[in-house]
Amino acid sequence: MRARTIAVILSAAIGLGLLTGRFVLPARSHRAIPAAAPGAAASSRGSGSPLPRPAEGPMTARHLLAAAEFKKAGFSKRVHVRDRVGDGRYANAACAGEKTLGETLGGPDAHFRGFMTTEDTDASDPTLAANIEDQVAREVAADAGSPALAQNYAQRLLLEEVPCQTEPPGHWVYGPTQTITVAPGITASWVGSYDGGLNTAGAAPRGMKPCGGIAVLRNGSHYGILEVDACLDTAAMTRIVRAAVTQL
C-alpha cells in the first residue's frame, strides 16, 4: 500500500507540474557558444580597411607621392626627390602650349616635387633634372580651398590633355583616358604616352602598353597633376597614380 500510495502522489505531482509549468528542462550549457574575449569587436561582412576620407585644409609635403612607390611599381633605379613651393611650368602637354600653373588656374602657390635618378638638377628649377633622360616623374599639387573648386581645376587640367589624344601619324600621342576611383571625392584620370613610331593612324595603337603618361589627381579640396617620364606600363602607371591620389 505504501509503495502504491507513493507512486500515486508522484504521478499527481508530475501532472500538476506539467499544468503549472513549474517543471522545466535544464538550460543548455553555455559552453555550446564560446564567449567573446573581453574588448573584442564583432566582425562584420567585408571587414577590410576603411575607405580613406577626402583631404581638406592646406597642402603639405606629406601629401605628395613618396619615392618608394616607384620601387613598388617595379622601377629599379634609385630615385632622388627634390621639393619646392611656388609657381612654374607644370606637366601640361606640349601640344596644348607650355604655361605655368598660375597662368592656367591662378590661385595660391603649389607644391612641386621632382623624382630623378640623379642629383644634378636644372639651375632654374630643382625639381627638374638637368638631363631630361634622368627625370622619373614630377608632381605639382595644391589646395583649391573647396572640393567643388578642386573638381573644377582637375577637369580643366584634364581637358588640356585631350587634344593630344589625336595627332598626325608619326607624332607622339596620348592614349584614351583611364579613371581610378579610390573613394567618393578621391579620383584620378590618366593618359598613357605613346611614341610617334607607334602612331600610325592618328591615335594611340590598340592593345599596346604605354610608356609613362600624365595623371590628373583630385582628393577632397586638393588637386594635382603627375607627369611620369619613366617608361611605366599600364599596370605600373595604375599603381603609381592610385598611390599618388590616395596620398594627396
Side-chain angles (χ1 to χ4, degrees), residues 38-119:
S43 61
S44 58
R45 184 178 60 184
S47 56
S49 301
L51 292 176
R53 298 179 60 184
E56 57 182 352
M59 272 286 305
T60 65
R62 69 180 180 84
H63 293 109
L64 299 176
L65 182 66
E69 296 297 339
F70 287 94
K71 184 176 181 179
K72 295 177 183 178
F75 189 79
S76 59
K77 294 183 179 180
R78 181 182 178 184
V79 177
H80 300 270
V81 175
R82 293 292 297 273
D83 292 347
R84 74 175 180 85
V85 177
D87 191 18
R89 181 176 62 83
Y90 60 101
N92 52 329
C95 67
E98 298 289 341
K99 296 174 290 183
T100 69
L101 193 65
E103 290 171 340
T104 301
L105 302 175
D109 289 339
H111 284 255
F112 288 70
R113 171 165 289 182
F115 303 89
M116 297 154 285
T117 57
T118 179
E119 294 183 338

Side-chain angles (χ1 to χ4, degrees), residues 7 33 57 72-73 80 88 112 124 150 156 165 188 230-231:
I33 302 177
K72 295 177 183 178
H80 300 270
F112 288 70
S124 63
R156 290 165 61 183
Q165 292 174 321
C231 194

Side-chain angles (χ1 to χ4, degrees), residues 102-177:
E103 290 171 340
T104 301
L105 302 175
D109 289 339
H111 284 255
F112 288 70
R113 171 165 289 182
F115 303 89
M116 297 154 285
T117 57
T118 179
E119 294 183 338
D120 185 14
T121 62
D122 189 289
S124 63
D125 189 337
T127 65
L128 292 171
N131 187 337
I132 187 60
E133 293 182 357
D134 297 324
Q135 192 80 33
V136 178
R138 190 164 177 259
E139 182 179 13
V140 183
D143 176 43
S146 71
L149 193 55
Q151 182 178 17
N152 176 273
Y153 285 171
Q155 290 173 341
R156 290 165 61 183
L157 290 170
L158 184 61
L159 285 174
E160 284 193 330
E161 315 306 329
V162 172
C164 306
Q165 292 174 321
T166 303
E167 291 290 342
H171 190 283
W172 67 266
V173 66
Y174 285 146
T177 304

Side-chain angles (χ1 to χ4, degrees), residues 8-25:
V8 171
I9 292 172
L10 288 175
S11 298
I14 293 172
L16 288 173
L18 293 174
L19 291 173
T20 60
R22 296 183 65 180
F23 285 83
V24 295
L25 293 174

